[in-house]
Amino acid sequence: MTRRRPEILAPAGDLDSMKAALASGADAIYFGLDEGFNARARAENFSLATLPGTLALVHRAGARAYLTLNTLVFEPELPVVENILRRIAEAGVDALIVQDPAIALVARAVCPQMEVHASTQMTISSAEGARFAKGLGATRVVVPRELSVAEIRRLASETDVELEVFIHGALCMSWSGQCLTSEAWGGRSANRGQCAQSCRLPYDLVVDGQTRELGDVQYLLSPKDLAGVMAVPQLVEIGVHSLKIEGRQKGPQYVATAVQGYRRWVDGVSAGTPDTGALRKDLADMTLSYSRGFSHGFFAGSDHQTLVEGRFPKHRGAYLGRVESVHGRDVRVVDDTEGRPWTGGLGQDDEKMRPDAPVGKVSSPLETETPVAAEVSPRPGMGVVFDDGHPEDKHEPGGPLFRVERKGRGWVLGFGNPGPDLGRVKPGQRVWMTSDPALAKRTEELLGRGEPEGRVPLELTVTGAAGSPLTVLGRARGGHVYSVSSEVALAEARGGGIDEALLRDKLAALGGTPFTLTGLDTSGLAAGLHLPVSEMKALRRRLVAELSEAVARGPVRTVNEGSTLESLRASLRERVQPTPRAVEDVRLLPLCRTDEQLEAVIAAGLPEVELDWMELVGLQRAVERARAAGLRVTIATVRVQKPGEEGYDARIAKLKPDAVLVRHWGAMMHFLERPPAPGETRPALHADFSLNVTNSVTALHLLGLGLDTLTFAHDLDAVQLGAMLEHLPAERFTVTVHHHISTFHTEHCVYSHTLSHGRDYRSCGRPCEKHRVSLRDHKGLEHPVVVDVGCRNTVFNAQAQSAASLVPSLLTRGMRRFRVEFVRESREEASRVLSAYQELLAGRISPAEAVRRAAVHEQFGVTKGTMKVLNPTFTVQR
């Protein structure tokens, strides 16, 4: 039985990649603009000036064009974004992929018919989160890569928005939209399209303060690439709308091999005739085009032993075997199975929840046929590299093959001279095939074929009667309708007259055009009529010319003239209720993660505390201790929440906190939609930094939904923060003035991967309950790794960041809420930090003195962090 075939969505970082995707059969293309606001700023991208021509190319090929405006927007950039959105709508983009709610809201104000997709950068990971996206006008959600097939199935059953799933390409180690490593370590923001790829760097493992030797495993946060072919059958069954290939920074060969492979596989699966033989060959081509080693990602649930190999961070290609011996210019390689893709099955149970968590069970095996292995055999001309344990070396031994001879369980590889330095090649080293000139040649031929033809569906309706013209109405995708009538009237036929066969032959001969006939309705055409063939051909030419131009322009839309930004702000402001809990006094808000830190807060005499018990263990006891001391209690939600994990929010609600610090869209919707019990009031809702609020449009929308306060995103600097406050009530915001920025938030468990042999919490032995792990970077800084209740890891920055120098200015502007966050500080350390900021907020010490006192010991230090310092003479302690 044929099922609805999901869309194949291809990346395009440049024009050649776009052409390769279209020629290979992509249904849709996604790409970004040179003008910015896309998450792949380092790709070549496309210009706004040439956008109409780019879109015409895509539309003539029968594909849809999705533009990535999937970064955060700062306040001064809103007018620029509005102008870009107007030009995008006029150019005929089919849909926008957005991260910032502001872009969705402004886009719909500029063009009410604009189709909006919620980017994976928005971190929509549950049905509750999908309801938030739908409220922005989004019709599709790009689901996080961390969801298993079972979780995608559950999400699909709980929402009516379209689901787009990453099926192939690089995996981000952090949950998308929740990675702040580039901001914290590299001075540039991944949420602004400037990912520094900190996950691809080497790290040392530090366990309980001691370095743990791991041999050649150095890249502890560098995942293999995703090849989700074995999940396709179930994703087709679930009815996901789109299968997305990652790779806007890769070339046309990568794009062509991936699109061709998934096109064949998805077509076969949808038709019930999958061809695993063709799949093996296609996987080989994909592997040689670009691969860090393939994995199933999270489609079968977590497997902390296979997601990260840790020996290399870059392209390796197809694994061939190990070096047995070297003789002159010949290398004997023994075939083995270690390192080959698909050596394991995908039948593991997908239950992801901790057994003690009060959540719904999401558990089902990922049912597949026998795992399919890529078939790659060495041939002369193919590139080879020898893995000498130094993948950071740009000159690893390797080069093109001159000769290949099959020998028993392996091969003899012959190299020319000059060629690789075989003196560095030793027995036991792994051998990888990295390239195939035949693929490059095939891609060149593909690009030389010209534009694809016959891919735009066209329906024709033919009407007419004797003495009147023949009228042909054409309907093409995108809402385009055009009608043409013959100049010569229809006459009675002497013979059989015009029939469907004649019309298909003469009127609907669409070869050499963008169109393919998908329907011909002749019910309105009287029988026994005649029209010269030349007239039919003329009708076809006129119809095709008009519809070709219309299709190239894109969907029919209305674009509002003039700026809509101020009217949008005004309408959003009308929905914002007055501050429900007026804050007249300045608040220092300590966020604690341990009992010791809570005791320091109590001893400091503070009236309020935020509890972030990441594993939820002991949370009730901490709430009771804080209440006994007379403190108002705010409980932080988990950072992200997957389908079936709604019980985490329910557990927090049962503790009846005074307020909830919401960290993801699902939690926000959960508490906004949850009516208070009789006689109770809803807890105050404070949004944390992870909602990524960076402009007034997003902020006003969230306040209008019912949030009490918002936390400024860590991506902002002081100037951008100040620009936001020109349009917003300062008392409704919190600024984090001291914290260890949470750099990675990842589904992969470093504890399980390095300290056990278990694939998930059921088999890992829970090393997180016995040890403390940190990751030491190349500068010697040790970054704490902390586990939460969902077994997700947060890697915190080694150095505490301070925005103390901003405090006087922020107080003047009306800010009243200042957060201080702790990670592993002792009671004494927490007390010193709290005292310093209490004195600062009271005006008794200077920012410089507060920073000096808060530098609790050398490991933490203090950096300027993400806030620009207002006082240029201020020197930061390190």
Side-chain angles (χ1 to χ4, degrees):
M1 182 179 99
T2 301
R3 290 171 285 192
R4 187 183 68 79
R5 178 173 60 79
E7 166 190 275
I8 301 294
L9 177 56
D14 57 32
L15 186 58
D16 278 349
S17 294
M18 178 176 285
K19 290 179 177 178
L22 294 172
S24 300
D27 298 299
I29 311 291
Y30 68 102
F31 57 96
L33 291 175
D34 293 332
E35 283 74 10
F37 305 108
N38 83 86
R40 291 294 181 269
R42 288 185 292 163
E44 186 173 315
N45 295 309
F46 297 80
S47 75
L48 192 57
T50 61
L51 184 59
T54 302
L55 296 176
L57 173 68
V58 176
H59 292 148
R60 285 194 300 267
R64 282 162 54 86
Y66 304 153
L67 193 69
T68 57
L69 289 178
N70 56 343
T71 65
L72 303 180
V73 178
F74 297 145
E75 189 68 29
E77 296 168 337
L78 286 171
V80 178
V81 168
E82 182 186 25
N83 180 58
I84 290 174
L85 285 168
R86 182 167 286 104
R87 294 180 64 182
I88 286 170
E90 292 170 344
V93 164
D94 293 280
L96 300 176
I97 304 175
V98 308
Q99 174 183 17
D100 198 320
I103 294 185
L105 294 167
V106 176
R108 302 278 288 182
V110 168
C111 177
Q113 301 93 356
M114 178 62 73
E115 186 176 331
V116 173
H117 299 169
S119 169
T120 191
Q121 287 286 119
M122 198 180 280
T123 327
I124 302 294
S125 54
S126 67
E128 291 173 321
R131 287 200 292 277
F132 169 72
K134 190 174 181 179
L136 298 171
T139 57
R140 181 184 296 188
V141 166
V142 186
V143 304
R145 295 171 176 89
E146 288 78 6
L147 297 194
S148 69
V149 165
E151 288 157 346
I152 294 170
R153 185 187 303 277
R154 179 163 182 162
L155 178 58
S157 72
E158 295 174 343
T159 181
D160 59 356
V161 300
E162 297 175 357
L163 300 184
E164 181 175 299
V165 177
F166 276 97
I167 197 67
H168 188 86
L171 288 167
C172 291
M173 175 50 70
S174 181
W175 279 71
S176 295
Q178 303 300 316
C179 181
L180 296 170
T181 55
S182 299
E183 179 75 18
W185 300 345
R188 62 195 203 195
S189 170
N191 282 326
R192 296 276 293 169
Q194 295 288 344
C195 175
Q197 293 197 310
S198 303
C199 54
R200 305 299 181 186
L201 297 176
Y203 297 93
D204 292 327
L205 182 71
V206 180
V207 182
D208 300 328
Q210 301 296 316
T211 303
R212 180 71 59 92
E213 294 298 330
L214 298 175
D216 60 353
V217 176
Q218 307 172 60
Y219 299 90
L220 299 176
L221 298 177
S222 181
K224 297 177 184 177
D225 290 343
L226 170 67
V229 292
M230 303 311 292
V232 165
Q234 288 199 55
L235 294 175
V236 169
E237 177 198 347
I238 290 168
V240 301
H241 197 85
S242 182
L243 298 178
K244 185 173 193 172
I245 298 167
E246 182 277 339
R248 282 193 285 145
Q249 290 179 194
K250 300 185 177 75
Q253 179 183 310
Y254 167 90
V255 173
T257 55
V259 172
Q260 290 167 3
Y262 281 93
R263 171 85 290 150
R264 273 188 284 269
W265 183 237
V266 170
D267 286 351
V269 168
S270 300
T273 57
D275 184 348
T276 56
L279 178 61
R280 290 187 180 92
K281 296 176 182 177
D282 288 331
L283 279 171
D285 292 347
M286 291 184 243
T287 304
L288 291 167
S289 294
Y290 194 94
S291 169
R292 298 179 181 91
F294 283 150
S295 80
H296 306 300
F298 292 98
F299 280 133
S302 295
D303 188 341
H304 304 305
Q305 300 307 321
T306 61
L307 185 73
V308 173
E309 181 168 346
R311 291 183 171 88
F312 46 82
K314 60 184 181 180
H315 172 55
R316 268 298 185 251
Y319 179 73
L320 184 62
R322 290 187 179 271
V323 174
E324 183 179 77
S325 59
V326 180
H327 303 282
R329 304 304 299 168
D330 291 349
V331 179
R332 176 73 181 268
V333 176
V334 177
D335 183 13
D336 65 8
T337 57
E338 182 182 350
R340 286 193 181 280
W342 321 127
T343 55
L346 283 181
Q348 301 100 332
D349 182 61
D350 190 47
E351 181 190 354
K352 181 64 183 68
M353 307 304 124
R354 294 284 293 266
D356 55 346
V359 297
K361 186 178 181 183
V362 179
S363 178
S364 67
L366 181 55
E367 298 167 358
T368 65
E369 300 296 330
T370 303
V372 178
E375 291 183 349
V376 184
S377 296
R379 299 188 307 275
M382 297 178 73
V384 168
V385 69
F386 297 96
D387 193 339
D388 63 357
H390 299 283
E392 72 285 353
D393 185 354
K394 294 182 180 180
H395 303 288
E396 288 181 292
L401 291 172
F402 274 48
R403 182 173 58 85
V404 177
E405 182 182 354
R406 182 75 186 188
K407 287 283 188 180
R409 291 179 50 249
W411 298 268
V412 174
L413 308 181
F415 295 90
N417 196 359
D421 180 3
L422 297 183
R424 296 170 58 190
V425 177
K426 307 296 181 185
Q429 288 178 356
R430 298 197 293 177
V431 185
W432 303 85
M433 291 181 291
T434 59
S435 63
D436 184 356
L439 292 177
K441 182 179 179 181
R442 194 172 80 189
T443 303
E444 290 178 7
E445 293 173 350
L446 188 71
L447 294 174
R449 293 178 188 172
E451 292 188 22
E453 298 175 351
R455 293 187 182 174
V456 179
L458 177 63
E459 296 180 356
L460 299 179
T461 300
V462 183
T463 58
S468 65
L470 179 72
T471 299
V472 182
L473 180 73
R475 291 184 177 86
R477 189 173 65 187
H480 302 292
V481 181
Y482 191 73
S483 178
V484 292
S485 297
S486 64
E487 297 180 0
V488 177
L490 289 159
E492 296 290 341
R494 295 179 182 177
I498 300 172
D499 60 10
E500 183 173 324
L502 181 64
L503 290 171
R504 286 183 179 275
D505 183 45
K506 305 302 180 184
L507 182 66
L510 299 172
T513 78
F515 300 104
T516 181
L517 185 67
T518 56
L520 178 60
D521 181 1
T522 61
S523 59
L525 178 64
L529 299 177
H530 169 74
L531 189 73
V533 169
S534 59
E535 278 291 309
M536 293 187 197
K537 292 181 178 179
L539 287 176
R540 183 189 68 221
R541 287 192 293 269
R542 287 164 52 197
L543 184 69
V544 165
E546 291 293 337
L547 282 178
S548 293
E549 185 177 339
V551 165
R553 288 195 302 266
V556 178
R557 293 202 182 104
T558 301
V559 181
N560 294 323
E561 298 294 332
S563 177
T564 62
L565 196 54
E566 286 308 317
S567 60
L568 175 61
R569 276 202 196 98
S571 64
L572 292 173
R573 196 174 282 114
E574 289 177 358
R575 295 164 43 207
V576 178
Q577 298 297 315
T579 305
R581 296 169 176 81
V583 180
E584 301 298 336
D585 57 329
V586 174
R587 297 286 181 96
L588 181 64
L589 302 171
L591 186 145
C592 302
R593 293 185 168 96
T594 68
D595 291 322
E596 282 192 340
Q597 295 160 6
L598 175 58
E599 291 301 327
V601 172
I602 294 171
L606 292 167
E608 188 171 347
V609 67
E610 296 179 333
L611 303 178
D612 185 15
W613 257 240
M614 292 176 60
E615 290 202 83
L616 302 186
V617 177
L619 175 59
Q620 181 174 346
R621 183 175 63 250
V623 170
E624 293 169 352
R625 177 71 182 97
R627 283 194 175 130
L631 275 67
R632 283 178 52 85
V633 175
T634 297
I635 300 178
T637 71
V638 295
R639 181 86 167 269
V640 295
Q641 191 163 282
K642 298 165 74 173
E645 294 183 347
E646 295 80 7
Y648 296 147
D649 291 335
R651 183 187 296 189
I652 290 172
K654 286 181 179 179
L655 295 176
K656 300 180 180 179
D658 299 290
V660 177
L661 185 64
V662 294
R663 288 179 161 160
H664 58 90
W665 302 119
M668 182 189 77
M669 297 302 291
H670 178 90
F671 286 100
L672 285 174
E673 296 171 344
R674 179 177 178 271
E680 295 183 358
T681 59
R682 193 202 74 187
L685 297 181
H686 305 304
D688 203 2
F689 72 92
S690 50
L691 297 193
N692 292 325
V693 179
T694 58
N695 60 71
S696 62
V697 171
T698 294
L700 289 170
H701 178 67
L702 298 181
L703 292 174
L705 289 177
L707 292 179
D708 292 88
T709 70
L710 310 174
T711 301
F712 290 110
H714 296 330
D715 298 89
L716 294 168
D717 64 24
V719 174
Q720 294 148 0
L721 187 155
M724 284 182 66
L725 290 179
E726 295 293 331
H727 302 276
L728 298 164
E731 72 275 6
R732 302 289 290 270
F733 283 84
T734 301
V735 63
T736 306
V737 293
H738 183 100
H739 65 133
H740 300 268
I741 194 168
S742 52
T743 53
F744 291 104
H745 186 66
T746 174
E747 195 74 12
H748 176 65
C749 183
V750 175
Y751 287 80
S752 180
H753 176 55
T754 60
L755 302 182
S756 83
H757 297 289
R759 65 176 293 267
D760 60 15
Y761 75 89
R762 290 162 300 184
S763 55
C764 71
R766 310 281 181 93
C768 58
E769 297 176 357
K770 309 177 186 71
H771 302 284
R772 278 189 169 187
V773 163
S774 298
L775 299 178
R776 184 188 297 119
D777 65 20
H778 63 288
K779 294 182 179 179
L781 296 174
E782 296 182 9
H783 307 284
V785 182
V786 183
V787 180
D788 73 7
V789 66
C791 293
R792 293 180 267 275
N793 287 189
T794 301
V795 182
F796 291 92
N797 195 16
Q799 295 179 316
Q801 299 184 175
S802 175
S805 61
L806 299 182
V807 168
S809 173
L810 293 175
L811 286 169
T812 300
R813 301 201 67 159
M815 288 286 299
R816 293 294 180 265
R817 297 171 58 83
F818 299 86
R819 179 176 292 122
V820 171
E821 291 193 13
F822 301 118
V823 180
R824 287 178 175 170
E825 286 88 344
S826 66
R827 175 173 177 171
E828 179 185 4
E829 291 164 347
S831 295
R832 292 175 60 184
V833 171
L834 292 172
S835 175
Y837 286 99
Q838 283 178 296
E839 295 287 288
L840 174 63
L841 291 176
R844 291 190 286 268
I845 63 173
S846 68
E849 177 62 15
V851 169
R852 188 190 68 80
R853 294 188 188 182
V856 289
H857 59 69
E858 291 181 358
Q859 178 185 347
F860 294 117
V862 178
T863 68
K864 295 179 183 179
T866 58
M867 300 289 185
K868 288 183 179 177
V869 178
L870 297 181
N871 181 359
T873 63
F874 173 65
T875 301
V876 181
Q877 301 288 325
R878 293 189 182 276

